[in-house]
Amino acid sequence: MNWFVKLLLLLFSLYNLIFSGHCQGFTIKDVNVHLLEDSFRVSLPDEPGIKFVGFNVNVNREFKNFEAGQYTAGVLAAANDAWGFDVKRKLRNNDVVHVWVGVQFENLIYRNRISPIYIINGQASSLPPEMEQLQTTSSTPPPPPSPPKPPSEAQNKNQGCQPTITELPVTKKNLCRDDLIFEDNFDVLLYNNWNPEVRMPREADDSEFVIYNNSLVIDSGILKITARLNPADIRNGAIDLEERCTGSLTHKECATANRFRSILPPVISGRINTKNNFYFKYGRVEIRAKVPLGDWLYPLLLLEPHNVEYNMHFDYGQMRIAFTRGNRELEWNGSDIGNTRLYGGVVLTEATEFRHQSMVNVAINTITDRQQNFGGAFHIYSLTWTPEELILNVDGYEYGRVECNFSPIYNKSIWKRGAKNAPLDKFFYITLGLGAGGHGDFPNDVQKPWQNTAPLAQLKFWERRGEWIPTWSHPILEVDYVRVYAV
């Protein structure tokens, strides 16, 4: 959530400053829900004295308390006599919308949970389905009740449990759409969730110029992964990660020494994953994060395949929940591809110039006019993965969709062994990390110190450190939480 909503929720936690529902002549009115073509609008009628409104919205999941919702927004101004928030989600019959709002009226904060809103026959109603049906029947006395029957699938739907396409290795009983199936708020680093990676990435031709070596901390509920210069003798030293190494001996990810004009990886960083701890097939991932700022840095907010079943690197697909380059300005083909632009989707090729084929993007000024780049604040990055498509969101704004039919574009015969959406038809796990340099994410024809295919690329990168280190104003990936929901 953005700074405004975070501040609002902080204020809501101070009970002595808050009035619930109504007080001193002000009452929070019920919100309205209007169904749109591919979204819905939650709105509160305007009245003199209201200064801002914070919306928290859940679909098919009740609030246990005044907690952050699946969809959140802070609204600073009314429009057309209402305070509104558009949720980029299509509602279906039998969905139930739960809302709580926080309102600043004059100099006081009020909050209230709104009665559930039911979607019935394509319309929003404050009455549950059974009451709606009673209102539409005649006044004829009802027949005597029949003996109770086991609940049908339709009845289960009316009770709020919608069918899900999400798969887990061990399926939970009664798994419903929108169920929270994974959450980490980083109060501590939970090793039953995360595996720290300790290795030098060399498994592919596009590997980063880093050593992943536990450069991370938990600070006040925030995971912080930091990139810093390697203090070792880059030109003449050697590295042996010994038994701590989690990498591949085949790819020499555990030990290296200089040969000829090669050097040791010049940057130390961190990377963690949920492999073997949590993996899933189809779902919605939400990550609240602040991405790094600094030349040639980039966040790793990924879904990676649990088992590599499609042969070579990137034939198996790497989903990017969010990707930004840390450069404040970086021009390529007449466009700025630096930190003013966010990308999301899937990478299916090592070739830098073609990686955007299955990704969508959005500029920061489309999302907000209060920031110059994505690294300036926390944002909620979201990827919804279904067999048909990937849906990308930032702060509740849908900025694109990627159709999951890749064979006509890439023509990889190995995918024929899978489903239509191969290679995204297998189980995937979550990866969080911070990369620097590398051969894959910065096109050759941008102004940079190295060429992607050059044998001495890492050396050229390090030799120009006097130019890029001063730009590292925030060489940190900060993650507030990770949540995964069934779809």
Side-chain angles (χ1 to χ4, degrees):
M1 69 195 73
N2 59 30
W3 66 270
F4 172 76
V5 180
K6 184 174 182 180
L7 176 61
L8 189 60
L9 292 174
L10 176 62
L11 289 174
F12 291 163
S13 68
L14 304 176
Y15 285 85
N16 59 323
L17 298 179
I18 298 171
F19 300 94
S20 294
H22 58 86
C23 186
Q24 298 187 3
F26 174 71
T27 301
I28 297 179
K29 296 179 172 62
D30 278 349
V31 301
N32 298 310
V33 172
H34 301 279
L35 275 64
L36 307 175
E37 184 175 357
D38 290 310
S39 59
F40 65 96
R41 178 174 298 133
V42 182
S43 63
L44 183 75
D46 187 27
E47 60 181 278
I50 297 180
K51 296 184 177 180
F52 62 65
V53 177
F55 291 95
N56 286 269
V57 181
N58 280 350
V59 179
N60 300 326
R61 183 158 67 93
E62 293 184 22
F63 286 102
K64 297 178 181 178
N65 49 47
F66 291 102
E67 59 194 343
Q70 296 168 337
Y71 307 95
T72 63
V75 183
L76 296 169
N80 299 321
D81 299 321
W83 299 76
F85 168 40
D86 285 2
V87 179
K88 299 293 185 179
R89 173 171 175 166
K90 186 174 183 177
L91 292 176
R92 299 176 174 84
N93 282 335
N94 300 314
D95 280 344
V96 183
V97 181
H98 301 271
V99 183
W100 74 266
V101 294
V103 178
Q104 181 182 351
F105 180 80
E106 300 298 351
N107 295 319
L108 295 175
I109 299 290
Y110 298 78
R111 66 181 182 187
N112 197 24
R113 278 192 236 181
I114 309 302
S115 300
I117 299 162
Y118 303 89
I119 307 304
I120 305 170
N121 297 324
Q123 301 292 324
S125 172
S126 60
L127 296 176
E130 58 272 17
M131 295 299 296
E132 185 83 14
Q133 186 176 8
L134 282 175
Q135 283 203 348
T136 59
T137 58
S138 67
S139 57
T140 304
S146 57
K149 298 179 180 180
S152 65
E153 181 178 350
Q155 288 172 324
N156 282 334
K157 289 182 180 179
N158 288 339
Q159 293 171 4
C161 182
Q162 305 296 310
T164 178
I165 59 173
T166 296
E167 297 180 29
L168 298 171
V170 178
T171 303
K172 293 169 56 179
K173 291 184 178 179
N174 302 322
L175 183 65
C176 304
R177 176 156 45 97
D178 291 313
D179 277 0
L180 183 66
I181 58 175
F182 177 87
E183 181 177 30
D184 200 320
N185 296 302
F186 296 108
D187 298 314
V188 296
L189 187 62
L190 298 173
Y191 289 98
N192 59 334
N193 283 349
W194 302 100
N195 310 298
E197 297 187 26
V198 179
R199 63 186 181 93
M200 291 171 281
R202 294 183 173 183
E203 77 280 15
D205 292 338
D206 71 329
S207 298
E208 310 88 276
F209 300 156
V210 304
I211 308 170
Y212 292 121
N213 196 14
N214 282 331
S215 184
L216 54 89
V217 297
I218 302 291
D219 183 8
S220 301
I222 303 292
L223 169 68
K224 295 184 178 181
I225 302 177
T226 302
R228 53 189 173 88
L229 280 181
N230 187 352
D233 186 345
I234 295 295
R235 289 185 180 273
N236 302 306
I239 294 176
D240 188 348
L241 299 173
E242 299 177 331
E243 68 276 1
R244 297 190 305 116
C245 184
T246 61
S248 165
L249 295 175
T250 304
H251 293 104
K252 300 181 180 178
E253 293 187 320
C254 296
T256 187
N258 291 329
R259 292 184 179 180
F260 307 109
R261 296 183 62 192
S262 66
I263 62 170
L264 302 181
V267 176
I268 297 175
S269 185
R271 180 168 172 152
I272 58 177
N273 66 64
T274 65
K275 187 173 185 179
N276 297 325
N277 295 331
F278 171 76
Y279 48 100
F280 68 106
K281 181 177 174 182
Y282 309 129
R284 185 176 76 255
V285 185
E286 292 182 0
I287 300 178
R288 182 174 183 264
K290 184 177 181 181
V291 297
L293 267 177
D295 288 359
W296 321 123
L297 297 173
Y298 47 94
L300 302 170
L301 304 173
L302 312 174
L303 293 180
E304 299 190 280
H306 182 252
N307 292 312
V308 179
E309 300 184 37
Y310 289 112
N311 198 13
M312 299 176 63
H313 194 56
F314 287 128
D315 282 357
Y316 52 66
Q318 181 194 81
M319 284 183 270
R320 296 193 170 184
I321 302 158
F323 175 79
T324 60
R325 298 172 177 92
N327 305 58
R328 287 168 178 80
E329 294 181 1
L330 189 66
E331 186 173 324
W332 182 55
N333 289 342
S335 300
D336 188 357
I337 62 169
N339 204 253
T340 62
R341 191 162 292 276
L342 168 70
Y343 296 82
V346 60
V347 176
L348 295 163
T349 176
E350 292 180 1
T352 308
E353 287 72 19
F354 298 101
R355 287 195 171 191
H356 294 168
Q357 281 184 310
S358 296
M359 300 178 75
V360 292
N361 67 85
V362 65
I364 185 67
N365 57 15
T366 303
I367 306 302
T368 178
D369 57 4
R370 297 193 299 269
Q371 298 163 24
Q372 295 181 344
N373 47 59
F374 282 97
F378 278 89
H379 297 275
I380 298 178
Y381 302 102
S382 172
L383 179 148
T384 301
W385 167 32
T386 73
E388 292 78 28
E389 62 185 352
L390 304 178
I391 306 172
L392 285 304
N393 283 266
V394 56
D395 295 334
Y397 175 85
E398 181 184 314
Y399 65 93
R401 299 188 178 205
V402 177
E403 183 181 357
C404 292
N405 183 16
F406 307 109
S407 291
I409 302 173
Y410 298 93
N411 193 29
K412 296 187 178 183
S413 60
I414 196 169
W415 293 344
K416 292 180 181 179
R417 69 175 67 168
K420 181 181 179 180
N421 64 326
L424 306 188
D425 58 341
K426 306 299 180 183
F427 284 90
F428 279 65
Y429 62 86
I430 305 166
T431 291
L432 307 176
L434 174 53
H439 303 280
D441 285 305
F442 296 93
N444 266 328
D445 46 357
V446 300
Q447 293 295 320
K448 64 183 174 60
W450 75 99
Q451 290 293 300
N452 290 333
T453 56
L456 302 179
Q458 193 164 242
L459 173 63
K460 296 298 183 183
F461 171 76
W462 180 72
E463 286 178 341
R464 300 272 289 276
R465 63 194 180 282
E467 299 175 11
W468 44 263
I469 276 292
T471 72
W472 286 18
S473 60
H474 188 74
I476 306 170
L477 170 65
E478 300 185 56
V479 181
D480 183 10
Y481 61 74
V482 178
R483 296 171 185 163
V484 184
Y485 298 91
V487 295

